[in-house]
Amino acid sequence: MLVLLTRWQVIHLLPVDWFYRILTLHGLVALVVWIVFWEMAGLLFGSTIVLNARMVAPSVAWASFVMMVVGTALVAYTVLTGTADVLFTSYAPLKADPLYYLGIILFAVGALIVIGLFFANIIVAKKEKTYGDGPLPLFTFGLLTASILGVGTLLPGAVIYVPTFLWSLGLIDSVDSIIYRLIFWGFGHSAQQVNVAAMISIWYLGAFLTVGGTSINEKVSRIAFLFYMIGINLASAHHLLVDPVPSPSWKVLNTSYFMYLAVLASMIHAFAVPSAVETAQRRRGYTKGLFDWLKNCPWGNPAFVAVFLSIVIFGFIGGVTGVINGAEQANMIIHNTIAVPGHFKGTVVGGTTLTFMGATYYLIPLIFRKKISLYGVAKAVPWMFALGVVTLSAGLSTLGYLGVPRRHWDVTFGGGPFTYSFPAITDMFWVVAVVGGAIAFLAVLAWVIVVVVSVFFGTPVRGKEDMQLTLSDIPPADDNHSGFVAPGTFALTIIFMIAFLIFTTLNWGWLSVMWEVK
Amino acid sequence: MAILAPEKGWFHKKVAKDEKMWIMCATVVALALFAIMVLWHLVGKQNPSYTVYNTSPDEFYKMAQANWKKYQIGEEAGIPVVKPAPDSDVYVIGTTWRWEPVLILKKGAKYRFHVSSLDLLHGFSLQPMNMNFLIHPGYDYVLTFKPTYTGDFRLICNEYCGPGHHSMIGKIVVED
């Protein structure tokens, strides 16, 4: 919020040094601290409670938790005292205090240990046959994908932060800026792929808990997770599309995510999750027309609403912009403009964060054994947050397409040798962005209040009658029918594809009227 | 069932007709997107360059100075104004926190821009065209531009480079 109010020139709240400091902290807290802590908890949950298994080494889990907290504290300390004004990406040769890099290394190693523990837990569970003879449940399988991606993420993190740490201490002369960017994004973007895999695991979980939906074909869903494992980390290469050195063939090969294997996987999940909901609903008898099943979904259950809205936002905003931004030439249009934050408001915020917020509602009664306080507020939060994030993202993305840079304290270029004014219409989109940001901010605040009040001051859950979020029963078995199993989902995905193709065509059209360059 | 092991025979269950159609459709689109990137190199006019030389800040600075001296026609706001011959080499330096020089170009001519930084990373962002590239120290990035519009253009920095980042703005004029 502080960042937005500064960027909006009408208010221009923070002074320049504090703006970049808060922006650094904002990136770290939103992309790393909140998400990774939540995921680590999810991994431990998915490998023990879901599998009905035991935690192999609780003391190790606590040790890694302490490391992550200390790491976070070091980073927050250096950033707030002004010795690490390097923003989230900390591109060398921009230099921060050694403690900053040390904090990140500690955090990453802590996370790596939790992942190791996750592997250990599922191996022991498999041996002790705690979840039967068959393969892992789909939810845990998805988390396994996330964990393997996590290892592939944290290793490049270590590879780049260790030399950068030594360089900051003065033990190494220099760190090459292109190598830094290449390896940093092996960490920075892959971390987001971990989020995607974890988020989609929770979508499957949410479909099951709220309406009893099961993937219509588990083989397809699992193969899609496998595609992530093969293809998705290569996607990180799209950060270097307008850098010197990498060749066009390297760029095309990598950013096509090896022929869009990961994009394809996401599109498969985009069908698999809604169709799981649709088939479950149809088996309950909501078979009229294309969308009767959707109309009769549990719209009063905030966890369901969160999953549903996050699928829509992640697909229509995050997915569409992501694939286009990742095309070699089209990247020229938005690189480092404020459309980039616009894109990840659609992925990490509208997708992952919203999913995690909704899932937290299940954790309150199931783990903390407390009723959700202020239930009415809790129910409104996903709608409000989604509305805010969509508005914010639309505002930022449009500004980016009009050329407004990201990470910029003053877009009127005060103190510069020349002046430049962005098109007048940008004034309006700043208002859109600020309004959206404010709504999303209030929603987060409300959510935090709900969670804190419930966990610390809530009334205990004594039994089934105290559960506000019902756990769905399993719908009646399928009566055999041929043809389409999920026509409504099919229609929705086709609408998505049309929107996607329109936006793609627009982008290439805009590109074709620019100055020529090669 | 997401939290239970899959039912027996899950691996041999047939994929539903609609799911199969959707996967086919998604695969075709993915392949088409892949093809566009390759085709654009053949028929498109806007492709990021792949010509780059190793250099050092000192060496690049000397080369730029020599080039500017040849074509300098004045000074504006303390920055040299350079009008390079059409179809020649152009040197642009990004440094905290300025872009040098001011350029006067001719519409329709091709210029080999050599762009590099003397210190940190800088974002080469041409407005209002909104074409964006990333500039590294130690690398001479050669972008061959052909301005297709006349007018007053600005070069802004869109990669964070310290507290004066927002005042980093340069000027390019394209004449007929």
Side-chain angles (χ1 to χ4, degrees):
Chain A
M1 199 65 228
L2 288 171
V3 169
L4 253 180
L5 284 180
T6 305
R7 295 239 30 194
W8 192 27
Q9 299 283 345
V10 176
I11 296 189
H12 211 46
L13 186 69
L14 295 174
V16 62
D17 46 351
W18 274 102
F19 167 71
Y20 289 120
R21 249 164 244 172
I22 298 290
L23 188 58
T24 306
L25 203 62
H26 165 77
L28 285 162
V29 169
L31 283 173
V32 182
V33 177
W34 143 250
I35 295 234
V36 177
F37 269 117
W38 210 101
E39 276 163 0
M40 293 306 131
L43 285 186
L44 295 179
F45 177 78
S47 64
T48 54
I49 297 177
V50 171
L51 300 181
N52 194 23
R54 64 195 171 87
M55 176 86 92
V56 178
S59 54
V60 175
W62 281 113
S64 63
F65 179 73
V66 170
M67 280 175 84
M68 289 171 71
V69 171
V70 172
T72 308
L74 279 178
V75 169
Y77 169 76
T78 49
V79 171
L80 288 175
T81 51
T83 54
D85 291 338
V86 291
L87 300 194
F88 170 62
T89 44
S90 56
Y91 290 137
L94 207 57
K95 204 187 275 186
D97 191 282
L99 284 179
Y100 171 86
Y101 303 108
L102 187 65
I104 293 187
I105 293 170
L106 271 180
F107 186 89
V109 173
L112 208 51
I113 293 174
V114 179
I115 293 178
L117 194 58
F118 171 82
F119 291 140
N121 282 345
I122 52 177
I123 290 168
V124 170
K126 177 104 200 156
K127 257 198 186 134
E128 296 176 353
K129 297 197 168 156
T130 54
Y131 58 94
D133 269 340
L136 283 175
L138 186 57
F139 173 63
T140 312
F141 184 81
L143 289 182
L144 177 63
T145 310
S147 299
I148 294 172
L149 292 173
V151 174
T153 296
L154 294 165
L155 289 180
V159 167
I160 199 57
Y161 275 112
V162 170
T164 311
F165 172 58
L166 296 176
W167 165 70
S168 164
L169 281 172
L171 297 174
I172 296 183
D173 274 350
S174 67
V175 173
D176 183 274
S177 59
I178 288 187
I179 301 290
Y180 179 90
R181 262 172 65 76
L182 176 68
I183 305 181
F184 173 83
W185 284 115
F187 159 75
H189 201 95
S190 310
Q192 305 317 313
Q193 320 295 14
V194 177
N195 301 341
V196 172
M199 169 185 79
I200 288 173
S201 308
I202 296 177
W203 286 355
Y204 282 111
L205 178 70
F208 178 67
L209 291 180
T210 55
V211 296
T214 331
S215 171
I216 56 169
N217 195 307
E218 283 222 7
K219 177 172 61 181
V220 172
S221 297
R222 281 169 196 249
I223 289 175
F225 273 122
L226 202 64
F227 281 0
Y228 276 163
M229 237 180 279
I230 301 168
I232 207 167
N233 274 6
L234 303 164
S236 311
H238 70 242
H239 287 267
L240 277 75
L241 290 178
V242 294
D243 283 44
V245 182
S247 73
S249 44
W250 183 88
K251 289 172 178 174
V252 170
L253 184 68
N254 279 292
T255 59
S256 61
Y257 308 179
F258 276 87
M259 300 204 339
Y260 286 96
L261 211 51
V263 176
L264 183 61
S266 289
M267 292 205 267
I268 293 174
H269 292 304
F271 188 90
V273 179
S275 65
V277 174
E278 177 170 357
T279 48
Q281 289 287 82
R282 282 183 185 274
R283 272 143 62 186
R284 288 206 177 82
Y286 301 116
T287 52
K288 237 187 316 159
L290 275 183
F291 299 118
D292 196 37
W293 61 276
L294 191 59
K295 215 174 77 197
N296 289 292
C297 276
W299 295 108
N301 177 341
F304 173 82
V305 173
V307 166
F308 178 83
L309 292 175
S310 101
I311 294 174
V312 173
I313 297 174
F314 186 83
F316 278 84
I317 296 183
V320 168
T321 54
V323 173
I324 293 168
N325 299 351
E328 189 202 358
Q329 296 89 344
N331 182 263
M332 228 188 280
I333 311 176
I334 55 84
H335 189 87
N336 268 350
T337 68
I338 205 165
V340 177
H343 155 69
F344 49 71
K345 294 289 174 289
T347 53
V348 199
V349 186
T352 310
T353 298
L354 181 54
T355 300
F356 288 2
M357 281 164 75
T360 305
Y361 285 150
Y362 268 110
L363 302 181
I364 294 170
L366 293 179
I367 291 187
F368 295 101
R369 317 292 294 162
K370 292 284 172 63
K371 278 178 82 165
I372 299 168
S373 313
L374 311 167
Y375 192 52
V377 179
K379 281 211 275 197
V381 163
W383 294 106
M384 201 172 142
F385 186 70
L387 174 73
V389 169
V390 169
T391 316
L392 173 62
S393 179
L396 295 181
S397 299
T398 316
L399 287 169
Y401 275 89
L402 293 165
V404 176
R406 68 190 288 203
R407 299 175 158 181
H408 203 281
W409 179 64
D410 178 8
V411 285
T412 60
F413 310 96
F418 307 103
T419 57
Y420 176 67
S421 305
F422 287 99
I425 188 116
T426 54
D427 294 344
M428 188 185 99
F429 284 101
W430 276 116
V431 177
V432 171
V434 171
V435 169
I439 297 172
F441 173 74
L442 290 177
V444 170
L445 205 62
W447 177 80
V448 170
I449 292 170
V450 167
V451 173
V452 171
V453 171
S454 312
V455 171
F456 293 106
F457 311 103
T459 41
V461 172
R462 286 178 306 273
K464 250 195 165 154
E465 70 281 2
D466 277 348
M467 287 287 289
Q468 297 137 307
L469 302 174
T470 47
L471 292 173
S472 167
D473 49 351
I474 293 167
D478 205 357
D479 45 340
N480 270 335
H481 61 85
S482 53
F484 280 25
V485 274
T489 302
F490 190 73
L492 292 175
T493 49
I494 294 296
I495 294 173
F496 163 79
M497 191 54 94
I498 292 168
F500 172 68
L501 290 177
I502 291 174
F503 198 56
T504 306
T505 315
L506 277 176
N507 268 271
W508 290 96
W510 289 325
L511 190 68
S512 69
V513 296
M514 289 183 167
W515 282 16
E516 293 177 14
V517 64
K518 64 175 187 215
Chain B
M1 276 166 245
I3 56 169
L4 302 174
E7 60 203 46
K8 280 234 152 30
W10 63 277
F11 198 77
H12 301 289
K13 192 176 165 190
K14 266 174 88 177
V15 182
K17 197 166 141 201
D18 39 355
E19 188 163 34
K20 220 184 245 169
M21 282 171 69
W22 169 247
I23 294 173
M24 284 303 291
C25 165
T27 309
V28 169
V29 169
L31 286 171
L33 292 173
F34 173 62
I36 295 178
M37 288 198 276
V38 180
L39 284 175
W40 204 261
H41 277 280
L42 304 173
V43 298
K45 304 278 191 213
Q46 294 81 11
N47 289 290
S49 148
Y50 47 93
T51 314
V52 59
Y53 303 113
N54 272 319
T55 182
S56 70
D58 285 344
E59 187 195 0
F60 189 80
Y61 182 72
K62 280 192 196 122
M63 288 190 331
Q65 288 294 334
N67 178 281
W68 298 349
K69 220 170 168 183
K70 221 159 77 185
Y71 297 116
Q72 185 168 355
I73 56 162
E75 208 181 81
E76 191 180 344
I79 300 169
V81 178
V82 172
K83 186 175 180 179
D87 307 308
S88 69
D89 287 25
V90 173
Y91 281 80
V92 176
I93 291 182
T95 178
T96 48
W97 293 289
R98 59 205 275 159
W99 286 111
E100 289 180 300
V102 172
L103 285 170
I104 298 178
L105 306 177
K106 194 172 163 357
K107 181 186 161 187
K110 276 190 181 153
Y111 296 93
R112 272 166 56 89
F113 273 59
H114 295 258
V115 198
S116 190
S117 156
L118 301 185
D119 39 42
L120 306 173
L121 300 188
H122 295 291
F124 177 104
S125 176
L126 182 70
Q127 299 298 338
M129 269 293 102
N130 201 18
M131 299 176 87
N132 303 288
F133 299 90
L134 204 71
I135 306 309
H136 291 256
Y139 294 92
D140 173 359
Y141 198 2
V142 184
L143 295 157
T144 306
F145 280 107
K146 179 176 157 190
T148 48
Y149 300 89
T150 56
D152 224 3
F153 295 86
R154 291 289 179 269
L155 199 52
I156 64 174
C157 176
N158 67 4
E159 183 59 78
Y160 171 69
C161 57
H165 167 52
H166 63 274
S167 62
M168 191 167 165
I169 181 168
K171 184 171 162 184
I172 298 176
V173 178
V174 180
E175 296 172 338
D176 231 338

